[in-house]
Amino acid sequence: MAAPPAERSFDVIVVGAGIIGSCAAHAAASRGASVLLLERFDLLHQRGSSHGESRTTRPTYTRPQYPPMVRLAHRLWHDAERDAGYTVLTPTPHLDLGPRDAPAFVAAIANGGATELAPAGDASRPAWAGAFRVPEGWAAATSGPAGVLKATKAMAMFQTLAAKMGAVVRDRTEVVDVARQGEGNTIVVKTASGEEFHGGKCIITVGAWASKLVKSVTGADLPVQPVHTLVCYWRVKPGHEEELTTEAGFPTFATYGEPGFYGTPSMEYPGLIKVCRNGGPPCDPDGRDWATGTGAGGIAEIVARWIDEFMPGVVDTAGGPVLRQPCMCCMTPDEDFVIDFLGGEEFGKDVVIGAGFSGHGFKMGPAVGKILAELALDGESGTAAEAGLELEHYLIGRFEGNPMGNATSH
């Protein structure tokens, strides 16, 4: 068989240009590899999990493997901002609220090095603390590093940096198959239009479409379930508009319970604040009901009840959210990431997958992207080892004979 044209042959092909894939392409290109980044839809589209105005970043996690990844990601966010010449991360405090004795809350506070808020009247208590009503038996604690990431802007930043380093970025290119060419070392990536690209390595980061593509390519079931969620922006009550801004030091925030809630300061839309519920109903990424969660008893109504209990003096829920934006989270049964080689006799260590980021992966994008690039290029991740990250938490094999994966050990 004749060799493919140079413009169709690359060291690394990254399939999926959300935040994880964009970061992986950037990391591989920064190593001097020739890189092709393919996106099924338009670049910066709003049909997946990486779009939107904001994401939070925080160090508090119930599981101890994540705070070191947050710290690594923060360093890499700042490195990328330096190279780009502009910022995408606005530092803020982070506030966690939860039942004082709840194991998840206690673990998160300990793992993230959080400090309980000083009581009312204490001079060290921040002015913004009065915006929250903390129920009897609950506690509130602050931590850092934390902040608000401009999501779409951040994704564009990594794509631009990758392109400046020589990566080829193509959108409207749906990948339908990944296969090894004969018995050689070449991975062939085939598209819906009939094009073929050849790579030494391949990184799959297709978000909500991960299970479908892996099933098509290997026949295996990857337990990643997309869920539909709703991002809601609510009107700040008159007189409190400035208090709830990043400029005033207002925090990102989250609660521990079932369901959990989270929010960001008033930033992207003046006079509005983002408050949302974690998770949502399962969905098919190719057949979504874009209105899910907007009706009576839906996600927006549940969030309104939370606001009325926890932030009644500063956020207005009358009439519901001012803005609603659909999104997807890609959940694993244990809510831990999948970072692994696709493996098997066909692919070995030549195809790497990052998937199942379970609603908390965006902040980790630069760290996970660099790890995926190193796994592809080197067969191991020196960055993960240096940061003290144990990648066995994220292997696909954890689900073999145990459909809940790591959940049994949490």
Side-chain angles (χ1 to χ4, degrees):
M1 180 180 293
E7 66 272 15
R8 294 186 182 274
S9 183
F10 300 85
D11 295 327
V12 180
I13 300 175
V14 182
V15 183
I19 188 61
I20 303 297
S22 298
C23 289
H26 166 259
S30 71
R31 292 272 304 272
S34 60
V35 177
L36 173 64
L37 175 61
L38 298 175
E39 170 54 51
R40 175 180 180 176
F41 304 111
D42 289 305
L43 292 177
L44 311 180
H45 66 86
Q46 300 189 38
R47 297 177 63 171
S49 303
S50 294
H51 63 282
E53 289 295 323
S54 62
R55 296 291 190 281
T56 64
T57 178
R58 58 181 169 82
T60 45
Y61 267 92
T62 61
R63 305 169 192 185
Q65 66 263 32
Y66 287 108
M69 190 180 287
V70 173
R71 292 191 289 271
L72 171 61
H74 268 253
R75 176 171 64 80
L76 297 174
W77 280 115
H78 293 314
D79 288 349
E81 290 177 322
R82 178 201 62 215
D83 293 343
Y86 55 85
T87 62
V88 297
L89 171 57
T90 300
T92 70
H94 177 72
L95 179 71
D96 285 301
L97 303 105
R100 182 177 295 277
D101 298 325
F105 178 71
V106 172
I109 297 311
N111 291 333
T115 303
E116 188 166 345
L117 271 182
D122 191 297
S124 66
R125 185 177 173 86
W128 50 256
F132 296 92
R133 176 187 170 274
V134 182
E136 186 72 26
W138 281 48
T142 59
S143 59
V148 181
L149 289 157
K150 297 290 287 184
T152 298
K153 182 181 179 184
M155 191 164 42
M157 177 180 73
F158 276 101
Q159 292 171 5
T160 300
L161 289 174
K164 284 183 177 179
M165 293 175 179
V168 177
V169 182
R170 282 190 52 173
D171 62 359
R172 300 189 182 186
T173 306
E174 180 184 1
V175 170
V176 295
D177 192 31
V178 177
R180 184 177 296 281
Q181 180 177 290
E183 297 182 359
N185 296 323
T186 299
I187 301 298
V188 180
V189 174
K190 301 179 181 180
T191 73
S193 65
E195 290 182 286
E196 290 189 2
F197 298 97
H198 293 236
K201 307 288 182 176
C202 179
I203 302 173
I204 296 174
T205 53
V206 293
W209 289 266
S211 293
K212 291 188 176 188
L213 185 58
V214 169
K215 183 71 171 180
S216 173
V217 168
T218 70
D221 293 313
L222 184 69
V224 175
Q225 174 61 60
V227 302
H228 175 95
T229 190
L230 196 65
V231 176
C232 298
Y233 289 87
W234 307 80
R235 193 174 305 281
V236 177
K237 288 186 175 180
H240 297 280
E241 293 87 351
E242 297 303 318
E243 299 171 26
L244 273 58
T245 63
T246 53
E247 292 81 0
F250 200 77
T252 58
F253 53 94
T255 64
Y256 288 79
E258 188 57 45
F261 298 85
Y262 69 95
T264 63
S266 179
M267 182 177 173
E268 48 264 55
Y269 301 108
L272 303 183
I273 186 169
K274 176 178 169 180
V275 186
C276 312
R277 176 200 150 170
N278 290 327
C283 69
D284 179 346
D286 293 313
R288 294 165 66 187
D289 176 0
W290 297 90
T292 297
T294 59
I299 295 172
E301 189 174 292
I302 294 170
V303 176
R305 290 199 295 268
W306 182 90
I307 293 171
D308 290 340
E309 181 177 0
F310 286 85
M311 304 180 74
V314 294
V315 181
D316 187 359
T317 60
V322 178
L323 295 175
R324 301 171 175 88
Q325 298 172 346
C327 192
M328 283 189 292
C329 295
C330 307
M331 311 299 293
T332 60
D334 53 16
E335 299 184 15
D336 282 331
F337 306 160
V338 171
I339 300 172
D340 201 357
F341 301 103
L342 205 53
E345 293 183 5
E346 181 175 7
F347 295 118
K349 290 190 173 182
D350 290 336
V351 178
V352 180
I353 184 166
F357 293 99
S358 300
H360 61 106
F362 194 100
K363 69 177 76 66
M364 310 293 199
V368 173
K370 188 170 186 179
I371 290 167
L372 291 170
E374 290 177 348
L375 290 175
L377 292 169
D378 305 326
E380 60 184 7
S381 174
T383 295
E386 292 169 9
L389 304 180
E390 298 177 355
L391 297 184
E392 61 264 27
H393 291 291
Y394 312 112
L395 301 182
I396 299 172
R398 70 184 190 264
F399 298 110
E400 294 177 5
N402 177 19
M404 293 305 295
N406 296 327
T408 55
S409 64
H410 294 323

